[in-house]
Each structure stands twice: as structure tokens, then as C-alpha cells.
Amino acid sequence: MTVIDTDPGIDDAIGILLALSSPEFTIAGVTTVAGNIGIEATTRNAGRLLAFAGREDISVFQGAAAPLSRVGPEPLNLHGEDGIGGVALPDPARPPEGRNAVEWLAEFLLDQPVGTVDVLALGPLTNIARLILASPEAAKRVGRVIAMGGAIYERGNVGPRSEFNLWADPEAAAVVVTSGLPLVLIPLDVTRRVRATREFSGILASSEKSFASMAGKLIESYFESTTNRESRPLHDPCVMLFALSPELFHCENLELSVSTAGNEHAGELAVAAGSTSVRVALRVDAPAALELLERQLTAAQAGDKFKI
């Protein structure tokens, strides 16, 4: 059983499409968090993606609109004002549920066997941190958290060593890292290696399968927002790729701490003896990961219903 915690986001959207096109995932719900755009937009985009896929059976639960304990960043609109590069998607088929994401997640976890629910975290870790702080007994029932975030040996993308998801709410990241929950971190060291070329996006966009075609259009919107780049990293889909085929990734247990500084160093990860041990993906078979992404997206059509 899987819960997707997300702030869509072009690459979030591609990751969600990958999960929706893969019968290996049993998606119990989608929870949303504010990211480079506000919570209303991320929640709407989650509903739009589910409507496109014909998965009105999957509920969306709106989560944190701001970080745990600091003022949230101004919307960066990195993926356009709508967060998904202006790619056409239908309106949500149903509104988000009335319950808050963290309340629902706690209730759901307490109702499921211990260790049977994985959380795939594609955005800032605020919802998961709030779950840990508010409902520790429920949080302990999580099978594992697979989170895109951080940079180990790579440069950052919002600060010298800071990656956006951890930088956006470093206090939440620190709570999750030190919680003792089974955590797999997928940092920039890996996600920058899984790169879509213009040729790759064109192949997907021209597919007769709607999941692949939509993913291709989303990737192409990446290229429209930049110049002189022949490839773009697929950050968040790496979470789903790891869940599908962990053998494509080389992981190590690293003792990590998270900086909660109030400057450009917020969210930096430090490898330091005596800190919390975290499973971290450090290398990836990128060609095989892209092949798996293409294969999964082209194997299913939007509207296919998998077990929930």
C-alpha cells in the first residue's frame, strides 16, 4: 500500500503518472504540501492528474500550507504559474477530502497492519514531520519513507549545498531524519543522473498511450522554460523508480544531520559520525532507470483501473 505525499510540480506530475501507470503500486491516497507553489495549486494539480488518469477513486487530502516553524518561501513558480508548465489537464473530478492530510494519514496507518504502508515523499517533508510529532504511534507503523531530497556530495539547487525540498522546511527534514522511521533518501547525487533528453521526451509525447504522451508533454514543458539545455533531470520520478526496482540504485547507510540555519545553508546535509543513520541512494543505472520509466508509461492507458 502506498501514499504519495507531493507538491506537483512538473517532475512530481511525472512521478505520479508513473505510479498511476504501474499496477505494482496500490495507491491509498494522495496528500499535498506547499512547495514551489502554494497549497491550493498543489492540491488542485494532484486532483487534475487523477482526473486525467480516470482515477477518481483515489482521494486527495490537503496538507501543510507552510513549514513547521518558519515563514514559508515565496512561490518560486519554477514550473510556471500553475506549477505544471501550462500543460493542459482536466479539472479535478472531485474536491479534496474534508479531513486534513495528517489527520487522515494517522487514522489510515492505525487501521492498517504495521509496516504495510510506504510513503513516497516528493516535496518538503512537513506533513510527515507533523505526523511524527502529532501521532508518533501512527508514524511508527509506516513501512518506509522514500523521499526525494538533499544533496550529499553534489552542489545544491537553492544554496551552495541545499536542495529545495529540505531547504523549504529544514526543521521538518530534521524531524524526519532523526525520527528513526525507515527512511530512504534519494538526493541530487542520483536524480541529476536520470536525465530526459529532447529525443526521450519526443518519443513519449508521440506515444499512442496517454500516460506516456502526457509525461512527454510535461518534460517538453521543462525545455520550454530554459535555453541551451539538451537534457533535464527527472528528480521526483526517481522515488517511484526506486520503489519499483531498488536494484537499479546503489545505496549506503550514512550518518546524517540536517542544518536548520536561517540562511542559505538551511537544509544542508552533513555526514557526521554520531548522527542518525539513513539509507541513501548514491548511484543509479540511469539508462536502465529511463528504460523502466518508458516501459511503465507505455504499458498502460489512462483510465486503466488497478487494485486499491
Side-chain angles (χ1 to χ4, degrees), residues 12-244:
D12 297 68
I14 298 165
I16 292 168
L17 291 176
L18 173 57
L20 292 170
S21 66
S22 302
E24 294 87 346
F25 291 107
T26 302
I27 303 171
V30 175
T31 56
T32 61
V33 62
N36 78 79
I37 52 174
I39 189 64
E40 298 295 334
T42 62
T43 302
R44 175 173 168 77
N45 284 343
R48 294 172 71 198
L49 287 161
L50 293 172
F52 164 78
R55 295 303 306 270
E56 63 279 356
D57 54 311
I58 299 175
S59 295
V60 175
F61 299 87
Q62 183 167 299
L68 276 184
S69 58
R70 62 175 67 196
V71 176
E74 289 294 319
L76 301 179
N77 295 333
L78 296 175
H79 301 168
E81 291 187 5
D82 67 349
I84 51 172
V87 174
L89 286 169
D91 290 335
R94 53 186 281 199
E97 299 295 327
R99 282 176 293 171
N100 173 271
V102 176
E103 295 174 354
W104 169 76
L105 188 53
E107 293 174 9
F108 179 70
L109 287 165
L110 291 170
D111 195 44
Q112 301 299 316
V114 174
T116 60
V117 178
D118 288 346
V119 178
L120 306 185
L122 311 183
L125 294 171
T126 314
N127 287 335
I128 302 168
R130 289 190 183 279
L131 173 71
I132 293 166
L133 295 172
S135 303
E137 290 306 312
K140 290 176 185 176
R141 302 175 74 85
V142 171
R144 59 182 175 171
V145 176
I146 308 174
M148 189 275 132
I152 306 299
Y153 305 115
E154 280 277 313
R155 70 188 187 284
N157 59 9
V158 290
R161 295 289 311 284
S162 300
E163 176 276 329
F164 176 82
N165 285 344
L166 302 195
W167 169 85
D169 194 347
E171 285 79 15
V175 167
V176 175
V177 166
T178 60
S179 68
L181 293 186
L183 172 64
V184 179
L185 199 61
I186 315 291
L188 295 178
D189 305 64
V190 159
T191 65
R192 280 183 171 148
R193 306 296 178 264
V194 181
R195 306 187 71 89
T197 63
R198 294 176 185 271
E199 179 184 8
F200 181 79
S201 66
I203 291 171
L204 292 180
S206 63
S207 172
E208 294 181 358
K209 295 290 188 175
S210 55
F211 278 121
S213 178
M214 178 56 69
K217 292 173 184 175
L218 288 162
I219 297 170
E220 287 180 345
S221 73
Y222 254 149
F223 288 111
E224 292 173 5
S225 65
T226 188
T227 58
N228 300 322
R229 292 192 184 182
E230 292 305 314
S231 65
R232 294 304 305 264
L234 300 178
H235 299 296
D236 293 324
C238 288
V239 170
M240 281 69 178
L241 291 168
F242 180 89
L244 285 167

Side-chain angles (χ1 to χ4, degrees), residues 268-286:
E268 285 186 2
L269 293 173
V271 181
S275 300
T276 306
S277 181
V278 176
R279 192 74 173 159
V280 182
L282 291 176
R283 296 197 300 275
V284 60
D285 183 342

Side-chain angles (χ1 to χ4, degrees), residues 190 241-242 244-251 283-293 295:
V190 159
L241 291 168
F242 180 89
L244 285 167
S245 293
E247 69 277 4
L248 299 180
F249 297 78
H250 170 77
C251 295
R283 296 197 300 275
V284 60
D285 183 342
L290 288 169
E291 181 183 353
L292 176 60
L293 175 63
R295 184 167 69 248

